[in-house]
Amino acid sequence: MGWTVATIFFWGTSTSKRPAVCVSSVRGERRVTVKTSAAYSPTKREKSCLATPAVLLLEIEVISPLDPSAHTHLHKTKCVMVNITVCMCKTISLVPQVSFSPQDNAQICVTGNGFFKLFKYSEGTLKQTNLQKGEPQNYLCHAWLSEEEIICGTATGKLFLFETGELLWQRDVEYRKPPKELEEGHSLLSYNGSLQDSLPQISAVVAYSKGFACSSSPGVEVYEESQEIWLPQDLFTTVPKLFRRQDITCICFSPSEEVMVVSTTKNQLYMFTMPSTDYLKEESSHFEYLHFPLHSASITGLDVCIRRPIVATCSLDKSVRVWNYKTNTLELYKEFWEEAYAVALHPTGLFCLVGFSDKLRFISVLYEDMHVFKDFPVRECRECSFSNGGHLFAAVNGNVIQIYSCTTFENINNLKGHSGKVIKWSADDSKCFSCDTHGAVYEWNLSTGKREMECVLTSCIYSSIALHSDSKVIFAVGSDQTLKEISESSIQHEVPALDVVYTAVAVSHSGDMIFVGTSLGTVRAMKYPLPLCREFNEYQAHAGAVTKISVSNDDLFLLTASEDGSIFFWKVYSKKGKILKREKEFEYAEEVLIMKSDIEEKNRAMLDLQIRVSELQTENDYQLRLKDMSCSEKIKELEETFTQELESLKNKHQILQAEKDNQEMQHQLQVSELMNKHAKEMRDLESDSNQKLLMENEKYQELQVNSQRMQEEYEKQLHNLQESKNRALEELTDYYEEKLNEKSLLLEEAEEDMRQQLQAHEEIKKQMEEDEDREIQDIKIKYERWLIEEKESNLQLKGEIGVMNKRLNSLQKELKERNSDIEEMKLEQQNLEGVIKSLEKDISMLNTNIEKRTNTIQEKEKHIYDLKNKNQELEKFKFVLDHRLEQFRKQIESRENDIKIMKEQIHEVSNTIIRPLLLNPLMERELEQLHKENTQLELNITQTQQKLKATDKELHKERQKKQNMEALIKRFKMDLHNCVGFIQDYKKLKAGIRELYTKYVQQLEMVEMEEVDTDLQQEYMRQREYLERNLAALKKRVVKDQQIHQAAYTHIMQENVSLIREINDLRQELTVAHTQVHDLQSALRLTKKKQAIQDTAPSNEMLSSPAVLRLNAQKENEKIIEMQLLEIQHLRDQIQEKGQGLEAQARLIFVPSCLGSHTPLSLKNNVS
């Protein structure tokens, strides 16, 4: 059954100290180098920062962190573009950041210690666009606010705003102490007023839509609308921490600018959700952890609980953390005053052991805290472990492994002898296993305190061991780059690591799988029994060496920790991708420890909260009643006001309805007058348009006469061009006749060379066959002599066996005579009984070994039988190959006959049909096709010859294999026969079987490797034939695609011409519409003038009417004019929209034609 491992979850960050700048390009073919210092010659190339433009991608590569010379090159070709020196300074400086402008991808900004420079890439070079003024600053970071504005932060806490390379704005950022919430947790920290506190470094700047954000002190300031965002205090601990200041190294916003994420020097990740409404309601706010607080230093200890799904880790950052690998959460976290070197979890998960530099502490794992219960005087304890039952624990104290009781905390036993680096318990807790740095692995009996087994290899420094489920096999890894399988005080098997050091090892509880961690941070999964060759699955995990590795009790999870401070949770799957299932489902415990004082405090808090809730309920009820009273009064007042407003609105509606009726009557009268005027104007326009049409007709006739003249001129030019073309054709025919004569001479020479080469090849082939036959006869004679000698030696051995049997009979007689002496030596027999018992044990062990060896002999006999079967198959294969050889020879003869016939045809064609060939282009094409077929046939001949050679070689190899196998079988039979003669002497028999194993097993492995090579050659020939077929099919497809593309191109051209005609028609319609609008505007101006005359000379009826009616008539006229103006504007807007739509259609039509060829572009220019 195969196993695979899949990554589920990991915590931790791995940071590299190397600066990196890398910007890649896809389109160009050159590379730019920007040098900033000439004082340092680097040996390694390191990337220092990353910049990605919007369109053009260039790669800027800094040679070394001490030499900020940067290479800008294109990603695909990676050839040098430009080499520019940024600054010539004596001191070694650093380029912390290089970036492209987000708006203009040709602009580059480079900042560092003492320089701020802008470059523009144009015409294959980088040109500086700014001149540095003022005092040089140590610029740590910068950000583009716009196409021309850049904000920079310095190491002295200053912000500089540059516009087109000139200083526009400057500001000093003062150091600010954290708010009161953080000051309470950091009360023990003393600020001495140093430069680091008074002048904070601005190490990160990022721009966003509302301004920019920069880091200063342990927080971030957001400008444009000033706000402070501080790093939070740890939620899981209340212990004050010295030297806890951490600086922000990087800031980034999400694409929607809803979340801001920062990373710090302590390898922590924080986030801050940006509010969508009022951004600056609070002057200062706090970050939140992106997930959980992570380890900031190397993890030194890891242990898994048996009854709960939790893992405990400790690190050099003075913290101990408890993780839940099922829910992927951090359950507990506590920091101490000393560095933690080792951690061990009790099987119940309620207690843990932690080894510090001064003491070993027994800690109770509470619900929300860790409480130190007992201290043990064990300094710098690097390894500790609970027994599987939980009643004992072991700790390393110098050169002694101390065993303590978990109930009485008494030192029960001391295991002396070496400094145990790793301690493992057997399943029944009766034994303990340990390894050290001197290459020793010991098995201890806890009842006696003595060693029962030891395996010492001084050349290896062991780093980790693991036990098999039966506690009989130990797996160890160390500095010698091997995984060792140790049992019965000796190394049974070794698996090489292939140029990698194994640092940790773990075995599944089922015993089927072994997991190994390496110094490169990878994890390897292997089957048990261990494989002979490279049979394992490798997974890239950490950035540093794996320090600890462990498997959960249900074999479903693998847990790894590393020097980079990260911990990985892996889920173990089968090879088919299914989750492994055990016979019995494992149920985890849910018990939790809690202090009595904590329960009492919580109960008190519960009572206080209950009393407060009851008080708040009474207050809320009272306030709700008051609100109901006030709301009912307000509703009554609103109802009265709304009824009054409704009545007034009804009266207004009636008045407005009467006014509307009057206005409709007047509007109908005016519309009828306008219609009559419009009809008269239309008649006038028709008469004018008829006159214009007559004029245009005369112009058209004149243009037609001019076009006829132009046609005659072009026909004359065409006639001249035809004559010049005929002359050129005659010259070309003469030139190609000469070339044909030369090629025919070359063909005859090539034919003679081919005949000579074929004759030489046949002679060499005959000589090779004769030499091979002679060698075969010599080998046969040798092996026949060897067989006769072996038979004679067999007869001699049979005579010696007969002599030995006679000796045995004489010895049996002597035994009968000495039976009387046995009675006298009974007293001595009692003393020697103990010795006999030990010898009987050895005899039983040897009998088992003999049985195993007999089994191996039977397996070898089976293997010999299989080899004989393979030999028969090879003989069959030889017969098939001979048959193929004959077929290939026949094919070669037929191809040679075809070549002769084709050459005769070419001869006839060259003598008889040369002139018609030159005159007819179709015949030239046929000649070219014949040349191609000739070259193809020559290629086929060479291929068949190569195949013949390959088959001959395979035949020779198969014959040699057959002879070798027969010789090997005979040797094995002879050695077996000799070995069987030592049946009664088990020591000689054992030595003989070992010699057989060393002789023949390696040879068989070599034979299998040769069989694999022949299979590879066959597979290579099959793949070659398959690729040749695919190539022919692809050539046919290319020809078809070209034809389809030409047809589509002609179709697009036709559509383009028709669309151009439609555009011309639409433009003519547009001009007509413009003239109509102009006429309508002139008609409206006339109507306005007439209305003005009528207003100046009012009738007697209007004078007799009251003043109120006159005012209404004026208002009505003004409203009518406004309505007409609005209609005119609406018509103009519609005309503009139609014109824009037509222009957009024209652009859309010409875009595909421009992509196709240049002819549609000329058509477009003609139309415009």
Side-chain angles (χ1 to χ4, degrees):
M1 182 178 178
W3 295 47
T4 56
V5 178
T7 310
I8 285 262
F9 198 80
F10 76 94
W11 298 115
T13 55
S14 58
T15 57
S16 177
K17 293 180 181 178
R18 297 178 179 178
V21 172
C22 195
V23 183
S24 301
S25 169
V26 177
R27 294 185 185 174
E29 296 179 351
R30 293 184 297 172
R31 156 173 164 170
V32 179
T33 304
V34 182
K35 290 189 179 176
T36 57
S37 174
Y40 182 74
S41 60
T43 56
K44 288 186 180 180
R45 309 181 95 191
E46 298 174 351
K47 309 240 169 147
S48 71
C49 56
L50 186 72
T52 306
V55 180
L56 182 65
L57 296 174
L58 296 172
E59 187 169 334
I60 299 173
E61 189 177 308
V62 173
I63 300 291
S64 173
L66 296 175
D67 178 17
S69 55
H71 295 287
T72 304
H73 57 84
L74 296 168
H75 184 63
K76 278 194 176 178
T77 58
K78 300 208 170 185
C79 59
V80 174
M81 289 175 69
V82 182
N83 189 353
I84 296 173
T85 303
V86 175
C87 105
M88 296 293 292
C89 47
K90 293 180 181 179
T91 59
I92 295 170
S93 59
L94 168 67
V95 178
Q97 190 174 358
V98 180
S99 66
F100 285 89
S101 171
Q103 288 82 17
D104 184 5
N105 59 358
Q107 284 190 350
I108 302 168
C109 178
V110 183
T111 55
N113 190 0
F115 57 88
F116 165 78
K117 297 201 175 183
L118 294 172
F119 295 96
K120 190 159 188 178
Y121 180 75
S122 63
E123 298 177 357
T125 57
L126 279 174
K127 296 178 182 177
Q128 188 174 347
T129 58
N130 72 321
L131 293 171
Q132 195 166 349
K133 297 177 183 178
E135 294 181 2
Q137 301 285 335
N138 186 4
Y139 298 104
L140 298 178
C141 57
H142 68 264
W144 293 81
L145 299 179
S146 65
E147 191 175 352
E148 297 177 348
E149 293 181 345
I150 302 170
I151 189 82
C152 295
T154 66
T156 57
K158 291 182 180 181
L159 284 170
F160 293 93
L161 180 65
F162 295 94
E163 186 175 4
T164 63
E166 294 183 358
L167 185 63
L168 187 68
W169 174 78
Q170 179 181 349
R171 178 170 176 176
D172 292 332
V173 179
E174 296 178 357
Y175 178 79
R176 300 180 185 179
K177 290 186 178 181
K180 290 181 180 179
E181 292 120 338
L182 286 174
E183 284 181 358
E184 290 172 1
H186 294 271
S187 58
L188 292 177
L189 289 171
S190 59
Y191 296 96
N192 297 321
S194 62
L195 284 170
Q196 289 180 356
D197 294 338
S198 59
L199 296 173
Q201 290 187 353
I202 298 171
S203 56
V205 175
V206 175
Y208 73 111
S209 61
K210 295 183 180 179
F212 66 92
C214 70
S215 67
S216 61
S217 312
V220 172
E221 290 190 6
V222 180
Y223 284 86
E224 185 69 29
E225 298 172 349
S226 183
Q227 185 183 13
E228 296 174 2
I229 306 166
W230 295 88
L231 295 180
Q233 188 186 3
D234 292 332
L235 302 172
F236 293 88
T237 183
T238 56
V239 178
K241 306 171 198 65
L242 293 169
F243 311 108
R244 282 293 295 170
R245 177 174 172 180
Q246 50 183 343
D247 295 327
I248 292 165
T249 57
C250 183
I251 309 169
C252 65
F253 286 90
S254 63
S256 60
E257 295 184 353
E258 293 178 356
V259 179
M260 178 170 61
V261 178
V262 299
S263 65
T264 68
T265 53
K266 293 286 184 181
N267 296 349
Q268 304 296 325
L269 291 170
Y270 297 96
M271 64 172 285
F272 178 73
T273 52
M274 310 290 282
S276 58
T277 54
D278 296 333
Y279 187 75
L280 299 170
K281 282 187 177 178
E282 297 180 1
E283 290 183 358
S284 65
S285 51
H286 296 87
F287 282 102
E288 297 174 357
Y289 281 106
L290 188 63
H291 291 294
F292 308 109
L294 311 170
H295 283 295
S296 59
S298 174
I299 294 171
T300 55
L302 179 144
D303 196 19
V304 184
C305 181
I306 294 172
R307 292 195 61 211
R308 291 175 64 192
I310 58 172
V311 190
T313 57
C314 65
S315 173
L316 295 177
D317 61 1
K318 304 178 183 179
S319 68
V320 179
R321 301 164 200 253
V322 179
W323 312 82
N324 192 319
Y325 56 79
K326 277 209 164 183
T327 58
N328 297 327
T329 55
L330 179 64
E331 290 198 349
L332 268 177
Y333 161 47
K334 189 165 184 177
E335 288 200 3
F336 296 89
W337 294 97
E338 297 87 14
E339 291 180 349
Y341 297 126
V343 68
L345 266 177
H346 195 268
T348 59
L350 303 176
F351 308 100
C352 71
L353 276 170
V354 184
F356 294 98
S357 56
D358 58 346
K359 289 178 183 179
L360 175 70
R361 290 182 171 86
F362 190 89
I363 298 171
S364 301
V365 181
L366 304 177
Y367 179 60
E368 292 178 342
D369 196 8
M370 293 183 186
H371 176 66
V372 179
F373 185 75
K374 179 80 175 175
D375 290 341
F376 297 93
V378 180
R379 291 197 171 194
E380 293 187 358
C381 180
R382 299 280 177 175
E383 186 66 29
C384 57
S385 177
F386 280 99
S387 63
N388 294 317
H391 60 292
L392 300 173
F393 68 86
V396 177
N397 188 1
N399 294 329
V400 181
I401 300 171
Q402 295 179 343
I403 310 296
Y404 289 89
S405 172
C406 289
T407 53
T408 60
F409 298 111
E410 293 179 356
N411 188 358
I412 297 168
N413 210 336
N414 289 324
L415 309 177
K416 298 178 182 179
H418 74 146
S419 56
K421 189 173 182 181
V422 180
I423 303 166
K424 296 291 178 184
W425 296 80
S426 62
D428 56 356
D429 294 336
S430 62
K431 294 178 183 179
C432 183
F433 299 85
S434 64
C435 71
D436 67 355
T437 55
H438 301 296
V441 177
Y442 294 148
E443 178 184 346
W444 305 87
N445 191 333
L446 296 178
S447 60
T448 60
K450 294 181 180 179
R451 284 183 239 165
E452 287 191 351
M453 185 274 289
E454 63 179 13
C455 179
V456 180
L457 184 66
T458 55
S459 62
C460 178
I461 299 169
Y462 287 116
S463 59
S464 178
I465 61 169
L467 279 179
H468 197 263
S469 55
D470 58 0
S471 302
K472 291 182 181 179
V473 181
I474 303 166
F475 299 97
V477 294
S479 60
D480 61 350
Q481 298 184 357
T482 57
L483 170 64
K484 297 177 180 62
E485 182 183 349
I486 301 169
S487 66
E488 298 176 0
S489 302
S490 62
I491 297 166
Q492 300 294 331
H493 189 51
E494 287 186 0
V495 178
L498 303 171
D499 299 329
V500 176
V501 177
Y502 286 143
T503 56
V505 64
V507 183
S508 62
H509 293 277
S510 61
D512 298 333
M513 248 356 243
I514 298 164
F515 302 99
V516 187
T518 68
S519 58
L520 299 177
T522 59
V523 177
R524 292 179 179 178
M526 306 178 189
K527 286 183 183 179
Y528 183 75
L530 291 173
L532 295 172
C533 56
R534 185 176 178 174
E535 291 181 6
F536 55 80
N537 294 329
E538 188 167 7
Y539 305 92
Q540 184 62 46
H542 304 276
V546 177
T547 54
K548 297 289 177 181
I549 188 166
S550 187
V551 182
S552 63
N553 200 43
D554 55 0
D555 287 343
L556 294 178
F557 292 92
L558 176 70
L559 314 159
T560 59
S562 174
E563 288 179 356
D564 61 2
S566 62
I567 176 170
F568 274 65
F569 301 155
W570 306 79
K571 206 164 201 176
V572 182
Y573 291 91
S574 65
K575 227 172 191 179
K576 295 178 181 177
K578 295 180 180 179
I579 298 170
L580 300 173
K581 291 183 180 179
R582 300 192 72 179
E583 294 177 359
K584 292 181 181 179
E585 291 186 1
F586 195 82
E587 293 182 359
Y588 289 107
E590 295 182 356
E591 295 87 358
V592 173
L593 271 183
I594 191 163
M595 300 285 284
K596 191 177 179 181
S597 58
D598 293 340
I599 292 167
E600 288 174 355
E601 285 179 5
K602 285 186 178 180
N603 288 330
R604 286 172 195 163
M606 287 279 286
L607 287 168
D608 293 337
L609 289 168
Q610 285 175 359
I611 293 160
R612 196 173 174 186
V613 164
S614 62
E615 289 174 357
L616 287 168
Q617 281 179 352
T618 54
E619 286 179 4
N620 284 328
D621 293 336
Y622 178 68
Q623 287 177 0
L624 281 168
R625 287 174 187 171
L626 290 172
K627 283 181 181 178
D628 289 336
M629 294 290 286
S630 62
C631 287
S632 61
E633 290 176 357
K634 285 180 182 178
I635 287 163
K636 287 178 182 178
E637 290 175 359
L638 288 168
E639 282 179 353
E640 291 174 357
T641 53
F642 279 124
T643 50
Q644 290 174 3
E645 287 178 0
L646 274 168
E647 289 176 356
S648 63
L649 287 167
K650 283 179 183 178
N651 295 326
K652 285 180 183 178
H653 180 68
Q654 289 174 359
I655 294 162
L656 289 168
Q657 189 70 32
E659 289 178 357
K660 182 192 171 187
D661 295 335
N662 294 326
Q663 285 176 4
E664 281 179 355
M665 292 293 288
Q666 290 175 3
H667 183 67
Q668 286 176 0
L669 292 168
Q670 288 175 358
V671 165
S672 62
E673 289 175 359
L674 284 168
M675 289 294 286
N676 293 324
K677 288 178 183 178
H678 183 66
K680 289 178 183 178
E681 287 172 357
M682 284 292 288
R683 287 168 192 165
D684 297 334
L685 285 166
E686 282 178 0
S687 62
D688 293 335
S689 64
N690 289 325
Q691 290 176 0
K692 287 178 182 178
L693 278 168
L694 291 168
M695 294 289 288
E696 292 292 329
N697 194 6
E698 290 174 357
K699 287 179 182 179
Y700 175 73
Q701 287 175 357
E702 290 176 359
L703 288 167
Q704 201 169 6
V705 171
N706 290 325
S707 67
Q708 285 177 358
R709 288 176 188 170
M710 293 287 285
Q711 279 180 357
E712 289 173 357
E713 289 176 358
Y714 279 122
E715 283 175 356
K716 288 177 183 177
Q717 289 178 3
L718 281 168
H719 184 68
N720 294 327
L721 287 167
Q722 190 69 30
E723 288 177 355
S724 63
K725 184 186 173 184
N726 291 327
R727 289 172 190 169
L729 273 170
E730 288 174 357
E731 290 173 358
L732 283 169
T733 50
D734 296 333
Y735 175 73
Y736 281 112
E737 281 176 359
E738 291 175 359
K739 269 197 171 183
L740 260 173
N741 292 324
E742 291 174 1
K743 293 289 178 183
S744 61
L745 292 168
L746 288 168
L747 266 170
E748 288 173 359
E749 290 174 0
E751 285 170 2
E752 288 176 358
D753 291 334
M754 280 287 290
R755 286 171 189 168
Q756 290 175 2
Q757 286 176 4
L758 285 167
Q759 288 174 1
H761 178 262
E762 286 175 356
E763 288 175 359
I764 291 161
K765 190 177 176 183
K766 286 175 183 178
Q767 288 176 3
M768 289 288 286
E769 285 175 354
E770 288 173 0
D771 293 335
E772 284 173 0
D773 292 332
R774 286 172 189 169
E775 286 176 1
I776 288 159
Q777 286 175 359
D778 294 335
I779 289 161
K780 277 182 182 178
I781 292 160
K782 281 182 184 178
Y783 279 110
E784 283 172 358
R785 287 175 185 171
W786 185 71
L787 264 170
I788 292 159
E789 290 173 359
E790 290 294 327
K791 284 176 182 177
E792 288 175 358
S793 63
N794 271 330
L795 292 167
Q796 289 175 2
L797 289 166
K798 283 178 182 177
E800 288 175 1
I801 287 161
V803 172
M804 292 296 288
N805 287 326
K806 288 177 182 178
R807 283 184 185 177
L808 272 169
N809 293 323
S810 64
L811 287 167
Q812 284 174 0
K813 289 175 183 177
E814 286 177 4
L815 280 167
K816 288 176 182 177
E817 290 173 356
R818 289 184 183 180
N819 280 327
S820 60
D821 296 333
I822 288 164
E823 293 177 357
E824 294 175 357
M825 298 178 75
K826 280 183 180 179
L827 295 169
E828 292 179 2
Q829 186 180 355
Q830 290 176 359
N831 296 326
L832 295 168
E833 276 179 354
V835 178
I836 289 161
K837 286 178 182 177
S838 64
L839 290 169
E840 283 175 354
K841 288 180 183 177
D842 292 335
I843 289 160
S844 63
M845 291 290 287
L846 289 167
N847 287 326
T848 54
N849 285 328
I850 288 160
E851 288 176 358
K852 288 179 182 177
R853 299 298 180 188
T854 51
N855 291 327
T856 53
I857 288 160
Q858 288 175 1
E859 288 176 359
K860 295 293 176 187
E861 286 176 351
K862 288 179 183 176
H863 192 64
I864 288 158
Y865 180 72
D866 295 333
L867 288 169
K868 285 179 180 178
N869 292 329
K870 282 183 182 177
N871 201 355
Q872 291 174 0
E873 289 175 1
L874 289 168
E875 286 176 353
K876 292 176 184 176
F877 185 64
K878 178 191 168 186
F879 179 73
V880 172
L881 287 171
D882 291 331
H883 184 65
R884 280 190 185 174
L885 274 168
E886 290 175 1
Q887 287 180 352
F888 283 133
R889 283 169 185 164
K890 289 176 182 178
Q891 285 179 4
I892 288 161
E893 288 174 358
S894 64
R895 292 285 168 86
E896 286 175 352
N897 293 325
D898 292 335
I899 289 160
K900 286 177 182 177
I901 292 160
M902 293 296 287
K903 284 175 181 176
E904 289 174 359
Q905 288 177 359
I906 290 160
H907 236 350
E908 291 174 0
V909 167
S910 61
N911 291 325
T912 57
I913 319 169
I914 291 168
R915 289 177 183 175
L917 252 172
L918 296 167
L919 294 170
N920 195 355
L922 292 169
M923 295 298 285
E924 287 180 357
R925 289 176 188 171
E926 286 178 0
L927 223 182
E928 287 174 359
Q929 286 178 357
L930 288 168
H931 279 300
K932 287 177 183 177
E933 286 175 359
N934 195 0
T935 53
Q936 188 64 35
L937 288 166
E938 286 175 357
L939 285 168
N940 289 331
I941 288 158
T942 53
Q943 285 177 359
T944 49
Q945 286 174 354
Q946 287 173 0
K947 286 178 182 177
L948 255 173
K949 288 177 183 177
T951 49
D952 288 330
K953 286 179 183 178
E954 284 176 0
L955 251 175
H956 187 64
K957 284 179 182 177
E958 292 299 328
R959 284 172 184 168
Q960 283 183 349
K961 278 183 190 176
K962 182 185 173 185
Q963 291 168 2
N964 292 329
M965 289 305 294
E966 285 175 355
L968 197 140
I969 289 158
K970 286 174 183 176
R971 285 179 199 163
F972 184 76
K973 283 180 179 178
M974 291 296 294
D975 291 337
L976 245 181
H977 191 270
N978 293 331
C979 194
V980 169
F982 302 115
I983 285 172
Q984 294 180 354
D985 192 358
Y986 70 91
K987 288 183 180 178
K988 289 182 179 179
L989 195 140
K990 187 178 179 180
I993 288 164
R994 279 183 179 171
E995 286 176 2
L996 281 171
Y997 183 81
T998 53
K999 268 189 186 178
Y1000 296 105
V1001 170
Q1002 292 178 354
Q1003 290 180 3
L1004 288 169
E1005 287 177 354
M1006 292 295 289
V1007 169
E1008 287 174 1
M1009 287 295 288
E1010 288 175 359
E1011 287 175 2
V1012 170
D1013 292 336
T1014 54
D1015 293 334
L1016 284 169
Q1017 286 178 358
Q1018 289 176 0
E1019 187 65 24
Y1020 172 76
M1021 293 301 293
R1022 286 176 197 159
Q1023 287 180 358
R1024 186 178 176 182
E1025 289 174 0
Y1026 174 74
L1027 289 168
E1028 286 174 354
R1029 289 174 196 160
N1030 282 340
L1031 215 159
L1034 287 167
K1035 283 179 180 177
K1036 290 178 182 177
R1037 282 184 191 170
V1038 167
V1039 173
K1040 287 180 182 178
D1041 289 334
Q1042 285 177 353
Q1043 292 174 358
I1044 292 160
H1045 181 69
Q1046 287 177 356
Y1049 180 74
T1050 53
H1051 182 67
I1052 288 161
M1053 286 291 293
Q1054 290 172 0
E1055 286 182 352
N1056 200 357
V1057 171
S1058 64
L1059 288 166
I1060 289 162
R1061 287 173 186 166
E1062 288 178 5
I1063 288 160
N1064 288 325
D1065 296 333
L1066 289 166
R1067 281 181 177 168
Q1068 287 175 2
E1069 288 175 5
L1070 245 178
T1071 52
V1072 172
H1074 278 302
T1075 53
Q1076 287 178 0
V1077 168
H1078 183 71
D1079 294 334
L1080 286 167
Q1081 284 177 354
S1082 62
L1084 280 167
R1085 285 171 188 166
L1086 288 168
T1087 53
K1088 283 181 183 177
K1089 286 178 183 178
K1090 286 179 182 178
Q1091 283 177 0
I1093 291 159
Q1094 286 175 4
D1095 291 335
T1096 52
S1099 61
N1100 293 322
E1101 292 175 358
M1102 293 294 286
L1103 289 165
S1104 62
S1105 64
V1108 177
L1109 290 169
R1110 280 202 296 274
L1111 286 168
N1112 289 331
Q1114 286 176 2
K1115 287 179 181 177
E1116 284 174 3
N1117 289 326
E1118 286 174 0
K1119 285 180 180 178
I1120 289 160
I1121 290 159
E1122 286 175 0
M1123 291 290 287
Q1124 288 173 355
L1125 287 168
L1126 287 168
E1127 285 178 358
I1128 290 159
Q1129 284 181 354
H1130 183 65
L1131 287 166
R1132 284 176 181 171
D1133 292 333
Q1134 285 182 351
I1135 290 158
Q1136 286 178 358
E1137 285 175 1
K1138 285 180 180 178
Q1140 287 175 359
L1142 289 167
E1143 287 175 0
Q1145 284 178 359
R1147 286 173 189 167
L1148 288 168
I1149 289 158
F1150 286 115
V1151 166
S1153 63
C1154 292
L1155 291 169
S1157 67
H1158 297 289
T1159 51
L1161 287 170
S1162 62
L1163 288 166
K1164 183 182 175 183
N1165 291 326
N1166 289 328
V1167 171
S1168 61

